[in-house]
Amino acid sequence: MTIPAVWTRERTVKEIVMRYIKPWFPQMGAGLAIKFTGTVMDLFIPYILAHIIDTVIPAGNRGKILWWGVGMLLCSFLAVAFNVIANRKASRVAADVIQKLRHDLFEKILFLSNRQMDAFTKPSLISRMTSDTYDLQQTVARIQRMGVRAPILLVGGIVVTFTLDYAMALVLLAVLPLLTILTVAVSKKGIPIYARQQTLADRMVRVVREDIAGIRVIKALSKTDYETEKFRDVNKSVVEQEKKAGMVMAVMNPSMTILLNLGLVGVILTGAFRVQEGTSEVGKILAFTTYFTIILNAMLSITRIFSMVSRSIASGNRVWEVLCAEPQIGTAEPDAGEAAGAGDVEILFDHVTFSYYQGQQPSVRDISFSVKKGETLGIIGEIGSGKSTVLSLMMRFYDPDSGTVRIGGRDVRTYAPGALKEKFGVVFQNDMIFEDTIAGNVSLGRTLSARQIQDALAHAQASEFVEGRKEQEEDALNIRGANLSGGQKQRVLIARALAANPEILVLDDSSSALDYRTDAKLRQDIRKYFADTTLVIVAQRVSSIRHADHILVLENGEMIGYGSHAQLMEQCAVYREISHSQMGDPAGRGEAVR
């Protein structure tokens, strides 16, 4: 696996924008040329009209009137045709650019460390992948369309008006500095508001995501009204921020219209005096009013561009922030002698301490144990004792604050990205069933034969219910395995972990939905067919781990017991209490050891 490229924050805009825009420069150049031609055709029409009124009609030559009229029709046709073609090319380029950006963003998210995922939060990453990239796509398309057409109409209209009558043009030009100041001021105020709006949108996505995932719990506990009220609050916050942003940006259009209309009044008054004095003509005033409309629409288009750019800058910063996130999980140089001196030790924790957030109480403290190849490690403890944290450190989802974790004799930090994960077959708590076939969920994109998939399902004790389904291994599963029972889901997930014959098999409370008979048969098949695989079992039931070679007992992140079942029954009061509460003590051994 190749880690996606990283850009520094100092060069974000220049390098990343050029990376995604540059490949489409030829298409953009062609589109801009077509757009330029169509826009110039628009500018010719009022000029031709003024020429017809002031020069051709007074001459009384009907033939010239007809030819100039045909010229106006031709300019209109070319303006429409070229603008339609350019707009289609702009939309295509914008879609292609954002497709590449969205792909790279998704790839980068997959390579973020767990700490970075915790910092960004999943709802925020979903928003960046969807709404933020959509805002950027709209901006890229609009800039190619209005961003070219509007400035040409604005500048071209002003230039042409100077060729018609410089005095009236100066009156119109005097309004432009006021329009520029207004645009810059409103845009500067709008960008922070849009940034806050996106943050609130992240909160709304989080609430929606949680409610959809937990819809059955919400309905079962009759908490629909409660969750509706919670969503109403966060939705209200988003709407209020959107209103605030809308009110700020809404100042643009009416203010510009007022300023330009005042300019138009000045142009008409100036033109009337000049016509009366004989220094100008009626056709020029008519052309000026047309050019004024063109300039007004161009300025309004530019304000809409600034409004959209203000929003897209906030969205772009959020996207760039992810793309510029430097990998926190690096690869250290391996010690040439560490693997050789490891012997047959497969997993080693050496005084490991770890905290999810700096400055807070460690989640696990001073954990030390070793497991040889082919042995079984059981981990047990109350909820929140650090069981899953130990697994996360083992697979290097996080790096320890202190101490060392070794797999196969090597520090986990010396493995290349992906190489460490390939050693593991894992079934996590609440693991994911994808909307795919049973075989697709077991293989999960790996190149596995039909026999390997069937064997994995058999070893996971899933063959019985799979063979009873209509399409067997090719039967479709709903998202999150909604059409499976809890035990069936766990068996499919275990089959996924077993399919590639991993060196280390991790079962994180993955048999809680299995009955005792199926659980025992599962452990028997794993010992029989995966004798060389090191097995790590996190369980709440003593019966699932009592036959393990080593059992790690955790409490409040600390290691309070380590040894075999018999040793812990003698030495660890907490483990003994758990065992007695679950399995009873018919022989009275509990009293004897006390």
Side-chain angles (χ1 to χ4, degrees), residues 62-80:
R62 294 187 178 182
K64 287 188 176 181
I65 294 175
L66 180 62
W67 279 110
W68 281 104
V70 171
M72 288 184 67
L73 289 175
L74 179 61
C75 287
S76 299
F77 173 78
L78 291 176
V80 171

Side-chain angles (χ1 to χ4, degrees), residues 500-538:
N501 195 21
E503 296 180 26
I504 302 173
L505 176 62
V506 177
L507 303 178
D508 184 4
D509 201 17
S510 58
S511 61
S512 58
L514 303 183
D515 58 79
Y516 285 96
R517 178 179 174 275
T518 304
D519 188 15
K521 187 66 168 64
L522 169 65
R523 286 184 279 108
Q524 181 181 344
D525 276 21
I526 290 176
R527 287 295 85 198
K528 179 178 179 182
Y529 297 102
F530 299 89
D532 293 333
T533 298
T534 304
L535 181 60
V536 179
I537 303 174
V538 174

Side-chain angles (χ1 to χ4, degrees), residues 434-444 448-459 462-477 483-484 492 495:
F434 297 94
E435 190 174 7
D436 199 350
T437 63
I438 294 176
N441 269 281
V442 172
S443 63
L444 203 63
L448 300 177
S449 66
R451 172 52 59 186
Q452 286 178 294
I453 293 174
Q454 291 169 1
D455 288 345
L457 289 168
H459 299 324
S463 295
E464 180 180 351
F465 84 84
V466 171
E467 291 172 358
R469 299 179 76 90
K470 184 177 179 180
E471 302 293 334
Q472 296 188 358
E473 290 88 356
E474 297 304 319
D475 204 51
L477 300 181
N483 55 340
L484 296 178
V492 172

Side-chain angles (χ1 to χ4, degrees), residues 88 158 174 178 235 238 247 286-287 351 358 367 400 464 482 513 520 528 567 574:
R88 289 172 61 88
I158 293 173
L178 298 176
N235 188 31
V238 174
M247 291 176 66
L286 181 61
H351 298 287
Q358 292 184 352
I367 303 297
E464 180 180 351
K528 179 178 179 182
Q567 291 171 333
V574 172

